[in-house]
PDB file of all heavy atoms in Angstrom:
ATOM      1  N   ALA T   1     158.721  79.680 136.375  1.00  0.00           N
ATOM      2  CA  ALA T   1     157.311  79.896 136.061  1.00  0.00           C
ATOM      3  C   ALA T   1     156.841  78.883 134.945  1.00  0.00           C
ATOM      4  O   ALA T   1     155.674  78.352 135.025  1.00  0.00           O
ATOM      5  CB  ALA T   1     157.111  81.365 135.495  1.00  0.00           C
ATOM      6  N   VAL T   2     157.718  78.562 134.012  1.00  0.00           N
ATOM      7  CA  VAL T   2     157.402  77.610 133.048  1.00  0.00           C
ATOM      8  C   VAL T   2     157.215  76.160 133.734  1.00  0.00           C
ATOM      9  O   VAL T   2     156.282  75.514 133.432  1.00  0.00           O
ATOM     10  CB  VAL T   2     158.513  77.494 131.974  1.00  0.00           C
ATOM     11  CG1 VAL T   2     158.300  76.254 131.061  1.00  0.00           C
ATOM     12  CG2 VAL T   2     158.543  78.792 131.140  1.00  0.00           C
ATOM     13  N   HIS T   3     158.121  75.899 134.630  1.00  0.00           N
ATOM     14  CA  HIS T   3     158.021  74.631 135.372  1.00  0.00           C
ATOM     15  C   HIS T   3     156.696  74.545 136.147  1.00  0.00           C
ATOM     16  O   HIS T   3     156.059  73.496 136.124  1.00  0.00           O
ATOM     17  CB  HIS T   3     159.253  74.500 136.290  1.00  0.00           C
ATOM     18  CG  HIS T   3     159.258  73.297 137.187  1.00  0.00           C
ATOM     19  ND1 HIS T   3     159.451  72.051 136.626  1.00  0.00           N
ATOM     20  CD2 HIS T   3     158.957  73.099 138.461  1.00  0.00           C
ATOM     21  CE1 HIS T   3     159.346  71.141 137.600  1.00  0.00           C
ATOM     22  NE2 HIS T   3     159.031  71.748 138.725  1.00  0.00           N
ATOM     23  N   ARG T   4     156.402  75.562 136.856  1.00  0.00           N
ATOM     24  CA  ARG T   4     155.117  75.590 137.651  1.00  0.00           C
ATOM     25  C   ARG T   4     153.865  75.443 136.803  1.00  0.00           C
ATOM     26  O   ARG T   4     153.006  74.715 137.166  1.00  0.00           O
ATOM     27  CB  ARG T   4     155.057  76.897 138.437  1.00  0.00           C
ATOM     28  CG  ARG T   4     155.909  76.990 139.696  1.00  0.00           C
ATOM     29  CD  ARG T   4     155.403  78.161 140.601  1.00  0.00           C
ATOM     30  NE  ARG T   4     155.340  79.465 139.799  1.00  0.00           N
ATOM     31  CZ  ARG T   4     156.340  80.320 139.740  1.00  0.00           C
ATOM     32  NH1 ARG T   4     157.511  80.000 140.226  1.00  0.00           N
ATOM     33  NH2 ARG T   4     156.170  81.404 139.045  1.00  0.00           N
ATOM     34  N   THR T   5     153.951  76.067 135.636  1.00  0.00           N
ATOM     35  CA  THR T   5     152.786  75.979 134.729  1.00  0.00           C
ATOM     36  C   THR T   5     152.621  74.587 134.145  1.00  0.00           C
ATOM     37  O   THR T   5     151.520  74.070 134.151  1.00  0.00           O
ATOM     38  CB  THR T   5     152.938  76.959 133.521  1.00  0.00           C
ATOM     39  OG1 THR T   5     153.083  78.314 134.187  1.00  0.00           O
ATOM     40  CG2 THR T   5     151.685  77.036 132.684  1.00  0.00           C
ATOM     41  N   LEU T   6     153.777  74.010 133.763  1.00  0.00           N
ATOM     42  CA  LEU T   6     153.720  72.606 133.155  1.00  0.00           C
ATOM     43  C   LEU T   6     153.281  71.669 134.362  1.00  0.00           C
ATOM     44  O   LEU T   6     152.426  70.756 134.101  1.00  0.00           O
ATOM     45  CB  LEU T   6     155.098  72.229 132.708  1.00  0.00           C
ATOM     46  CG  LEU T   6     155.583  72.955 131.423  1.00  0.00           C
ATOM     47  CD1 LEU T   6     157.052  72.667 131.202  1.00  0.00           C
ATOM     48  CD2 LEU T   6     154.722  72.481 130.254  1.00  0.00           C
ATOM     49  N   LYS T   7     153.768  71.838 135.602  1.00  0.00           N
ATOM     50  CA  LYS T   7     153.364  70.942 136.677  1.00  0.00           C
ATOM     51  C   LYS T   7     151.851  71.115 136.946  1.00  0.00           C
ATOM     52  O   LYS T   7     151.198  70.120 137.227  1.00  0.00           O
ATOM     53  CB  LYS T   7     154.170  71.271 137.875  1.00  0.00           C
ATOM     54  CG  LYS T   7     153.928  70.387 139.099  1.00  0.00           C
ATOM     55  CD  LYS T   7     154.883  70.644 140.229  1.00  0.00           C
ATOM     56  CE  LYS T   7     154.687  69.772 141.397  1.00  0.00           C
ATOM     57  NZ  LYS T   7     155.508  70.154 142.582  1.00  0.00           N
ATOM     58  N   GLU T   8     151.355  72.320 136.947  1.00  0.00           N
ATOM     59  CA  GLU T   8     149.939  72.557 137.240  1.00  0.00           C
ATOM     60  C   GLU T   8     149.045  71.868 136.203  1.00  0.00           C
ATOM     61  O   GLU T   8     147.996  71.309 136.523  1.00  0.00           O
ATOM     62  CB  GLU T   8     149.647  74.053 137.256  1.00  0.00           C
ATOM     63  CG  GLU T   8     148.181  74.391 137.550  1.00  0.00           C
ATOM     64  CD  GLU T   8     147.923  75.806 137.438  1.00  0.00           C
ATOM     65  OE1 GLU T   8     148.855  76.670 137.528  1.00  0.00           O
ATOM     66  OE2 GLU T   8     146.710  76.232 137.253  1.00  0.00           O
ATOM     67  N   ALA T   9     149.556  71.818 134.932  1.00  0.00           N
ATOM     68  CA  ALA T   9     148.810  71.224 133.839  1.00  0.00           C
ATOM     69  C   ALA T   9     148.965  69.745 133.819  1.00  0.00           C
ATOM     70  O   ALA T   9     148.351  69.086 133.043  1.00  0.00           O
ATOM     71  CB  ALA T   9     149.229  71.901 132.553  1.00  0.00           C
ATOM     72  N   GLY T  10     149.901  69.287 134.590  1.00  0.00           N
ATOM     73  CA  GLY T  10     150.179  67.807 134.622  1.00  0.00           C
ATOM     74  C   GLY T  10     150.798  67.329 133.243  1.00  0.00           C
ATOM     75  O   GLY T  10     150.500  66.187 132.866  1.00  0.00           O
ATOM     76  N   THR T  11     151.727  68.119 132.684  1.00  0.00           N
ATOM     77  CA  THR T  11     152.282  67.735 131.461  1.00  0.00           C
ATOM     78  C   THR T  11     153.747  68.120 131.450  1.00  0.00           C
ATOM     79  O   THR T  11     154.306  68.568 132.477  1.00  0.00           O
ATOM     80  CB  THR T  11     151.594  68.411 130.210  1.00  0.00           C
ATOM     81  OG1 THR T  11     152.061  67.912 129.020  1.00  0.00           O
ATOM     82  CG2 THR T  11     151.866  69.889 130.287  1.00  0.00           C
ATOM     83  N   GLU T  12     154.495  67.795 130.333  1.00  0.00           N
ATOM     84  CA  GLU T  12     155.876  68.146 130.234  1.00  0.00           C
ATOM     85  C   GLU T  12     156.095  69.044 129.042  1.00  0.00           C
ATOM     86  O   GLU T  12     155.287  69.140 128.139  1.00  0.00           O
ATOM     87  CB  GLU T  12     156.685  66.857 130.054  1.00  0.00           C
ATOM     88  CG  GLU T  12     156.557  65.889 131.274  1.00  0.00           C
ATOM     89  CD  GLU T  12     157.436  64.681 131.086  1.00  0.00           C
ATOM     90  OE1 GLU T  12     157.933  64.458 130.026  1.00  0.00           O
ATOM     91  OE2 GLU T  12     157.509  63.864 132.104  1.00  0.00           O
ATOM     92  N   LEU T  13     157.308  69.710 129.013  1.00  0.00           N
ATOM     93  CA  LEU T  13     157.612  70.572 127.919  1.00  0.00           C
ATOM     94  C   LEU T  13     157.523  69.881 126.574  1.00  0.00           C
ATOM     95  O   LEU T  13     157.235  70.483 125.599  1.00  0.00           O
ATOM     96  CB  LEU T  13     159.055  71.240 128.176  1.00  0.00           C
ATOM     97  CG  LEU T  13     159.454  72.318 127.239  1.00  0.00           C
ATOM     98  CD1 LEU T  13     158.517  73.492 127.235  1.00  0.00           C
ATOM     99  CD2 LEU T  13     160.853  72.751 127.476  1.00  0.00           C
ATOM    100  N   GLY T  14     157.885  68.641 126.531  1.00  0.00           N
ATOM    101  CA  GLY T  14     158.006  67.914 125.253  1.00  0.00           C
ATOM    102  C   GLY T  14     156.614  67.793 124.627  1.00  0.00           C
ATOM    103  O   GLY T  14     156.486  67.451 123.434  1.00  0.00           O
ATOM    104  N   ALA T  15     155.556  68.003 125.366  1.00  0.00           N
ATOM    105  CA  ALA T  15     154.162  67.863 124.822  1.00  0.00           C
ATOM    106  C   ALA T  15     153.716  69.118 124.077  1.00  0.00           C
ATOM    107  O   ALA T  15     152.662  69.148 123.361  1.00  0.00           O
ATOM    108  CB  ALA T  15     153.203  67.545 125.948  1.00  0.00           C
ATOM    109  N   VAL T  16     154.481  70.278 124.271  1.00  0.00           N
ATOM    110  CA  VAL T  16     154.078  71.491 123.634  1.00  0.00           C
ATOM    111  C   VAL T  16     154.109  71.366 122.147  1.00  0.00           C
ATOM    112  O   VAL T  16     155.138  70.884 121.595  1.00  0.00           O
ATOM    113  CB  VAL T  16     154.994  72.615 124.131  1.00  0.00           C
ATOM    114  CG1 VAL T  16     154.824  73.904 123.398  1.00  0.00           C
ATOM    115  CG2 VAL T  16     154.749  72.901 125.638  1.00  0.00           C
ATOM    116  N   THR T  17     153.212  71.905 121.435  1.00  0.00           N
ATOM    117  CA  THR T  17     153.167  71.834 119.988  1.00  0.00           C
ATOM    118  C   THR T  17     153.375  73.192 119.282  1.00  0.00           C
ATOM    119  O   THR T  17     153.793  73.203 118.124  1.00  0.00           O
ATOM    120  CB  THR T  17     151.767  71.272 119.490  1.00  0.00           C
ATOM    121  OG1 THR T  17     150.663  72.197 119.944  1.00  0.00           O
ATOM    122  CG2 THR T  17     151.564  69.941 120.007  1.00  0.00           C
ATOM    123  N   GLU T  18     153.161  74.305 120.002  1.00  0.00           N
ATOM    124  CA  GLU T  18     153.318  75.630 119.462  1.00  0.00           C
ATOM    125  C   GLU T  18     153.720  76.510 120.570  1.00  0.00           C
ATOM    126  O   GLU T  18     153.387  76.331 121.812  1.00  0.00           O
ATOM    127  CB  GLU T  18     152.225  76.128 118.743  1.00  0.00           C
ATOM    128  CG  GLU T  18     151.841  75.309 117.521  1.00  0.00           C
ATOM    129  CD  GLU T  18     150.898  76.019 116.594  1.00  0.00           C
ATOM    130  OE1 GLU T  18     151.173  77.053 116.049  1.00  0.00           O
ATOM    131  OE2 GLU T  18     149.759  75.437 116.330  1.00  0.00           O
ATOM    132  N   ILE T  19     154.441  77.571 120.281  1.00  0.00           N
ATOM    133  CA  ILE T  19     154.863  78.581 121.241  1.00  0.00           C
ATOM    134  C   ILE T  19     154.529  79.986 120.782  1.00  0.00           C
ATOM    135  O   ILE T  19     154.646  80.316 119.592  1.00  0.00           O
ATOM    136  CB  ILE T  19     156.373  78.569 121.540  1.00  0.00           C
ATOM    137  CG1 ILE T  19     156.794  77.129 122.138  1.00  0.00           C
ATOM    138  CG2 ILE T  19     156.775  79.622 122.479  1.00  0.00           C
ATOM    139  CD1 ILE T  19     158.256  76.980 122.207  1.00  0.00           C
ATOM    140  N   VAL T  20     153.930  80.829 121.633  1.00  0.00           N
ATOM    141  CA  VAL T  20     153.758  82.218 121.349  1.00  0.00           C
ATOM    142  C   VAL T  20     154.409  83.078 122.438  1.00  0.00           C
ATOM    143  O   VAL T  20     154.343  82.819 123.600  1.00  0.00           O
ATOM    144  CB  VAL T  20     152.232  82.580 121.151  1.00  0.00           C
ATOM    145  CG1 VAL T  20     151.547  82.365 122.484  1.00  0.00           C
ATOM    146  CG2 VAL T  20     152.069  84.023 120.676  1.00  0.00           C
ATOM    147  N   VAL T  21     155.065  84.121 121.977  1.00  0.00           N
ATOM    148  CA  VAL T  21     155.823  84.972 122.866  1.00  0.00           C
ATOM    149  C   VAL T  21     155.467  86.428 122.694  1.00  0.00           C
ATOM    150  O   VAL T  21     155.281  86.874 121.496  1.00  0.00           O
ATOM    151  CB  VAL T  21     157.319  84.791 122.798  1.00  0.00           C
ATOM    152  CG1 VAL T  21     157.798  85.093 121.380  1.00  0.00           C
ATOM    153  CG2 VAL T  21     158.104  85.612 123.841  1.00  0.00           C
ATOM    154  N   GLY T  22     155.288  87.159 123.779  1.00  0.00           N
ATOM    155  CA  GLY T  22     155.048  88.653 123.556  1.00  0.00           C
ATOM    156  C   GLY T  22     156.270  89.324 123.040  1.00  0.00           C
ATOM    157  O   GLY T  22     157.427  89.167 123.569  1.00  0.00           O
ATOM    158  N   ALA T  23     156.075  89.995 121.918  1.00  0.00           N
ATOM    159  CA  ALA T  23     157.162  90.643 121.169  1.00  0.00           C
ATOM    160  C   ALA T  23     157.407  92.100 121.545  1.00  0.00           C
ATOM    161  O   ALA T  23     158.147  92.786 120.903  1.00  0.00           O
ATOM    162  CB  ALA T  23     156.960  90.513 119.665  1.00  0.00           C
ATOM    163  N   GLY T  24     156.700  92.557 122.637  1.00  0.00           N
ATOM    164  CA  GLY T  24     156.903  93.959 123.084  1.00  0.00           C
ATOM    165  C   GLY T  24     155.796  94.834 122.401  1.00  0.00           C
ATOM    166  O   GLY T  24     154.785  94.261 121.870  1.00  0.00           O
ATOM    167  N   PRO T  25     156.036  96.092 122.469  1.00  0.00           N
ATOM    168  CA  PRO T  25     157.203  96.769 122.855  1.00  0.00           C
ATOM    169  C   PRO T  25     157.447  96.680 124.386  1.00  0.00           C
ATOM    170  O   PRO T  25     156.605  96.535 125.199  1.00  0.00           O
ATOM    171  CB  PRO T  25     156.914  98.248 122.556  1.00  0.00           C
ATOM    172  CG  PRO T  25     155.436  98.377 122.549  1.00  0.00           C
ATOM    173  CD  PRO T  25     154.927  97.060 122.095  1.00  0.00           C
ATOM    174  N   GLY T  26     158.804  96.742 124.781  1.00  0.00           N
ATOM    175  CA  GLY T  26     159.176  96.689 126.141  1.00  0.00           C
ATOM    176  C   GLY T  26     160.611  97.037 126.210  1.00  0.00           C
ATOM    177  O   GLY T  26     161.366  97.126 125.352  1.00  0.00           O
ATOM    178  N   PRO T  27     161.072  97.227 127.524  1.00  0.00           N
ATOM    179  CA  PRO T  27     162.471  97.533 127.728  1.00  0.00           C
ATOM    180  C   PRO T  27     163.438  96.399 127.289  1.00  0.00           C
ATOM    181  O   PRO T  27     163.068  95.166 127.285  1.00  0.00           O
ATOM    182  CB  PRO T  27     162.581  97.578 129.298  1.00  0.00           C
ATOM    183  CG  PRO T  27     161.215  97.964 129.753  1.00  0.00           C
ATOM    184  CD  PRO T  27     160.260  97.322 128.800  1.00  0.00           C
ATOM    185  N   TYR T  28     164.559  96.763 126.725  1.00  0.00           N
ATOM    186  CA  TYR T  28     165.403  95.793 125.983  1.00  0.00           C
ATOM    187  C   TYR T  28     165.707  94.536 126.687  1.00  0.00           C
ATOM    188  O   TYR T  28     165.486  93.459 126.173  1.00  0.00           O
ATOM    189  CB  TYR T  28     166.673  96.590 125.606  1.00  0.00           C
ATOM    190  CG  TYR T  28     167.643  95.828 124.747  1.00  0.00           C
ATOM    191  CD1 TYR T  28     167.551  95.924 123.359  1.00  0.00           C
ATOM    192  CD2 TYR T  28     168.681  95.125 125.352  1.00  0.00           C
ATOM    193  CE1 TYR T  28     168.431  95.267 122.505  1.00  0.00           C
ATOM    194  CE2 TYR T  28     169.645  94.468 124.519  1.00  0.00           C
ATOM    195  CZ  TYR T  28     169.429  94.579 123.136  1.00  0.00           C
ATOM    196  OH  TYR T  28     170.346  93.848 122.333  1.00  0.00           O
ATOM    197  N   THR T  29     166.234  94.645 127.953  1.00  0.00           N
ATOM    198  CA  THR T  29     166.684  93.476 128.642  1.00  0.00           C
ATOM    199  C   THR T  29     165.573  92.547 128.913  1.00  0.00           C
ATOM    200  O   THR T  29     165.672  91.319 128.655  1.00  0.00           O
ATOM    201  CB  THR T  29     167.457  93.865 129.859  1.00  0.00           C
ATOM    202  OG1 THR T  29     168.542  94.666 129.566  1.00  0.00           O
ATOM    203  CG2 THR T  29     168.010  92.664 130.608  1.00  0.00           C
ATOM    204  N   GLY T  30     164.535  93.006 129.562  1.00  0.00           N
ATOM    205  CA  GLY T  30     163.419  92.108 129.904  1.00  0.00           C
ATOM    206  C   GLY T  30     162.785  91.537 128.697  1.00  0.00           C
ATOM    207  O   GLY T  30     162.380  90.279 128.707  1.00  0.00           O
ATOM    208  N   LEU T  31     162.588  92.237 127.598  1.00  0.00           N
ATOM    209  CA  LEU T  31     161.938  91.736 126.520  1.00  0.00           C
ATOM    210  C   LEU T  31     162.759  90.533 125.841  1.00  0.00           C
ATOM    211  O   LEU T  31     162.218  89.570 125.468  1.00  0.00           O
ATOM    212  CB  LEU T  31     161.798  92.843 125.445  1.00  0.00           C
ATOM    213  CG  LEU T  31     161.220  92.465 124.064  1.00  0.00           C
ATOM    214  CD1 LEU T  31     159.894  91.802 124.154  1.00  0.00           C
ATOM    215  CD2 LEU T  31     161.088  93.748 123.208  1.00  0.00           C
ATOM    216  N   ARG T  32     164.032  90.749 125.869  1.00  0.00           N
ATOM    217  CA  ARG T  32     164.941  89.690 125.271  1.00  0.00           C
ATOM    218  C   ARG T  32     164.895  88.411 126.029  1.00  0.00           C
ATOM    219  O   ARG T  32     164.965  87.252 125.460  1.00  0.00           O
ATOM    220  CB  ARG T  32     166.341  90.130 125.162  1.00  0.00           C
ATOM    221  CG  ARG T  32     166.550  91.156 124.025  1.00  0.00           C
ATOM    222  CD  ARG T  32     168.055  91.465 123.926  1.00  0.00           C
ATOM    223  NE  ARG T  32     168.793  90.302 123.546  1.00  0.00           N
ATOM    224  CZ  ARG T  32     168.916  89.809 122.291  1.00  0.00           C
ATOM    225  NH1 ARG T  32     168.300  90.510 121.291  1.00  0.00           N
ATOM    226  NH2 ARG T  32     169.588  88.723 121.973  1.00  0.00           N
ATOM    227  N   VAL T  33     164.618  88.417 127.362  1.00  0.00           N
ATOM    228  CA  VAL T  33     164.592  87.164 128.143  1.00  0.00           C
ATOM    229  C   VAL T  33     163.542  86.255 127.470  1.00  0.00           C
ATOM    230  O   VAL T  33     163.714  85.080 127.351  1.00  0.00           O
ATOM    231  CB  VAL T  33     164.274  87.502 129.635  1.00  0.00           C
ATOM    232  CG1 VAL T  33     163.937  86.290 130.385  1.00  0.00           C
ATOM    233  CG2 VAL T  33     165.504  88.157 130.216  1.00  0.00           C
ATOM    234  N   GLY T  34     162.262  86.782 127.333  1.00  0.00           N
ATOM    235  CA  GLY T  34     161.173  85.920 126.808  1.00  0.00           C
ATOM    236  C   GLY T  34     161.436  85.516 125.399  1.00  0.00           C
ATOM    237  O   GLY T  34     161.188  84.311 125.024  1.00  0.00           O
ATOM    238  N   LEU T  35     161.919  86.406 124.563  1.00  0.00           N
ATOM    239  CA  LEU T  35     162.161  86.128 123.175  1.00  0.00           C
ATOM    240  C   LEU T  35     163.266  84.967 122.993  1.00  0.00           C
ATOM    241  O   LEU T  35     163.034  84.024 122.219  1.00  0.00           O
ATOM    242  CB  LEU T  35     162.537  87.256 122.374  1.00  0.00           C
ATOM    243  CG  LEU T  35     161.433  88.293 122.092  1.00  0.00           C
ATOM    244  CD1 LEU T  35     161.957  89.689 121.714  1.00  0.00           C
ATOM    245  CD2 LEU T  35     160.480  87.783 121.111  1.00  0.00           C
ATOM    246  N   VAL T  36     164.316  85.084 123.736  1.00  0.00           N
ATOM    247  CA  VAL T  36     165.397  84.164 123.579  1.00  0.00           C
ATOM    248  C   VAL T  36     164.931  82.804 124.152  1.00  0.00           C
ATOM    249  O   VAL T  36     165.253  81.734 123.540  1.00  0.00           O
ATOM    250  CB  VAL T  36     166.641  84.630 124.342  1.00  0.00           C
ATOM    251  CG1 VAL T  36     167.678  83.487 124.388  1.00  0.00           C
ATOM    252  CG2 VAL T  36     167.223  85.819 123.557  1.00  0.00           C
ATOM    253  N   THR T  37     164.216  82.769 125.292  1.00  0.00           N
ATOM    254  CA  THR T  37     163.723  81.568 125.888  1.00  0.00           C
ATOM    255  C   THR T  37     162.735  80.840 124.904  1.00  0.00           C
ATOM    256  O   THR T  37     162.884  79.592 124.651  1.00  0.00           O
ATOM    257  CB  THR T  37     163.042  81.839 127.220  1.00  0.00           C
ATOM    258  OG1 THR T  37     163.975  82.434 128.110  1.00  0.00           O
ATOM    259  CG2 THR T  37     162.465  80.587 127.823  1.00  0.00           C
ATOM    260  N   ALA T  38     161.847  81.564 124.271  1.00  0.00           N
ATOM    261  CA  ALA T  38     160.953  81.040 123.301  1.00  0.00           C
ATOM    262  C   ALA T  38     161.549  80.435 122.113  1.00  0.00           C
ATOM    263  O   ALA T  38     161.309  79.327 121.690  1.00  0.00           O
ATOM    264  CB  ALA T  38     159.925  82.063 122.868  1.00  0.00           C
ATOM    265  N   ALA T  39     162.610  81.164 121.602  1.00  0.00           N
ATOM    266  CA  ALA T  39     163.348  80.623 120.503  1.00  0.00           C
ATOM    267  C   ALA T  39     164.115  79.395 120.818  1.00  0.00           C
ATOM    268  O   ALA T  39     164.244  78.446 120.019  1.00  0.00           O
ATOM    269  CB  ALA T  39     164.344  81.735 120.014  1.00  0.00           C
TER     270      ALA T  39
END
């Protein structure tokens, strides 16, 4: 999904200047996927 979004925008991950991630609340496993990826 990250790859598709970057491709749609015509840019690369290296151009990102800030990141925001949903911190929940949510089920343990699913929530950690986003948090760990963002970190």
